[in-house]
Amino acid sequence: MDAHSAGRPSQADALAARYGRAAIPAAGPWNDTLALLLDHKSTRAFLPTALPTGTLETLIAAAQSAPTSSNLQTWSVVTVTDPAVRAKLAAIAGGQKHIEQCPLFLVWLADVSRLGRIADAEARTLEGMPYLETFLVASIDAALAAQNAVVAAESLGLLTVYIGALRNDVEEVARLLDLPPGAVGVFGMCVGYADPAVPTEVKPRLPQAAVLHHGTYRIGDETAQRAAYDVELGAFSKRNEMQADTWTERVLARIATLRALRGRDLLKAKLRALGFPLK
Ligand SMILES: Cc1cc2nc3c(=O)[nH]c(=O)nc-3n(C[C@H](O)[C@H](O)[C@H](O)COP(=O)(O)O)c2cc1C
């Protein structure tokens, strides 16, 4: 791994940051890749500093190295540099200014349009195309590719943040990017150097017992786990955002009302309009 691994935390510190001191799992194998993965954090404060030549292509090579369902490669990605388009995307995303400020902004597409063009060229119909399964395949492909780009970026000393809020209006995103039918922006991504004036901290996750099941799914002591995690994330929020929201409060704020979906309750109809029948 590169020189940036030198600044990564030790295994003990990385696990403590990821889970909080009270829920550290047993230490297992450890290496530079794991140190990089456990040190992940998003940022929403970017320096305007341009990325070194070839960085975009390197990130895309990492993205294309991700597994892809049946090697169909049903994703594409669009870079957006035009400030006017960035501003419109930021507005769609509820005013997320980092979309305008980051040096590299990517829109990741679930893209079956290429398959459609193959069908046209080969004079074939694709019976599997209109199904929900095909949309899911493309969305999973896009996410796996994008996450490889995130890891690659972090290995280069860059940080990122995903922008799922582009799904607030997938039709407008498609119009702005001139997407063909069968392509939809599933999320955006800001990439750049984090502004050191805005410290970033690893955000703790649920204890492993909440997500890891052995053999069969067992709902264990979920209430106690959630209470402990609420304390952990509440403290994180206070340190980083000056408000002590617990995880429970955040989950409810995000999912409890239709209003919080910010237009995404209409997603099925919009996807259908964009060429994903979702049968
Ligand atoms: C698919 C996806 C969409 C996301 N959309 C947004 C977004 O629109 N705006 C934002 O600020 N963060 C967004 N995030 C970042 C998450 O809020 C963040 O990953 C989560 O809070 C965990 O924090 P961490 O990445 O620092 O560990 C998104 C993350 C994912 C995976």
Side-chain angles (χ1 to χ4, degrees):
M1 197 148 290
D2 74 321
H4 288 282
S5 62
R8 303 270 170 222
S10 68
Q11 179 176 27
D13 286 347
L15 288 171
R18 183 55 72 204
Y19 293 104
R21 298 234 165 247
I24 301 176
W30 193 247
N31 59 30
D32 286 350
T33 304
L34 292 161
L36 177 72
L37 289 171
L38 268 80
D39 200 33
H40 158 77
K41 45 216 170 236
S42 300
T43 191
R44 295 160 188 86
F46 293 92
L47 295 176
T49 315
L51 308 186
T53 307
T55 301
L56 170 63
E57 292 75 9
T58 300
L59 298 184
I60 300 309
Q64 289 193 275
S65 300
T68 153
S69 192
S70 307
N71 198 25
L72 290 177
Q73 306 179 57
T74 45
W75 64 273
S76 298
V77 62
V78 181
T79 65
V80 183
T81 51
D82 183 339
V85 178
R86 290 258 201 130
K88 286 179 182 159
L89 294 176
I92 289 169
Q96 299 196 46
K97 280 285 170 200
H98 31 280
I99 295 173
E100 295 176 74
Q101 293 158 352
C102 61
L104 174 62
F105 188 69
L106 303 170
V107 181
W108 296 87
L109 311 178
D111 183 7
V112 300
S113 76
R114 239 184 332 265
L115 307 185
R117 292 190 290 276
I118 292 170
D120 289 347
E122 301 295 323
R124 296 283 299 271
T125 52
L126 300 179
E127 289 182 358
M129 273 282 260
Y131 287 86
L132 172 63
E133 162 66 6
T134 306
F135 171 70
L136 194 56
V137 159
S139 300
I140 293 169
D141 266 12
L144 295 177
Q147 182 55 24
N148 257 25
V150 166
V151 174
E154 291 178 6
S155 78
L156 298 172
L158 300 161
L159 288 187
T160 65
V161 66
Y162 281 92
I163 305 293
L166 288 190
R167 294 194 305 277
N168 290 350
D169 194 345
V170 286
E171 282 182 306
E172 182 61 9
V173 171
R175 201 187 62 72
L176 287 167
L177 306 183
D178 202 15
L179 302 184
V184 59
V186 279
F187 44 77
M189 182 186 289
C190 301
V191 184
Y193 295 104
D195 182 349
V198 182
T200 47
E201 194 188 326
V202 166
K203 188 181 282 184
R205 296 293 196 260
L206 286 164
Q208 286 200 354
V211 302
L212 173 62
H213 303 271
H214 297 283
T216 55
Y217 195 110
R218 287 275 179 273
I219 302 168
D221 200 355
E222 212 165 56
T223 307
Q225 288 162 2
R226 180 158 64 86
Y229 185 55
D230 274 344
V231 171
E232 203 62 53
L233 203 70
F236 170 92
S237 301
K238 203 169 185 177
R239 281 195 304 276
N240 289 274
E241 296 152 32
M242 311 305 285
Q243 56 182 175
D245 281 359
T246 65
W247 186 64
T248 301
E249 285 162 346
R250 285 180 178 236
V251 167
L252 296 177
R254 175 68 175 76
I255 305 289
T257 64
L258 265 192
R259 201 169 64 84
L261 277 180
R262 294 173 178 272
R264 291 181 235 175
D265 46 315
L266 306 173
L267 190 57
K268 201 196 301 183
K270 291 184 178 181
L271 284 170
R272 285 183 166 149
L274 292 178
F276 294 92
L278 307 180
K279 276 192 192 171

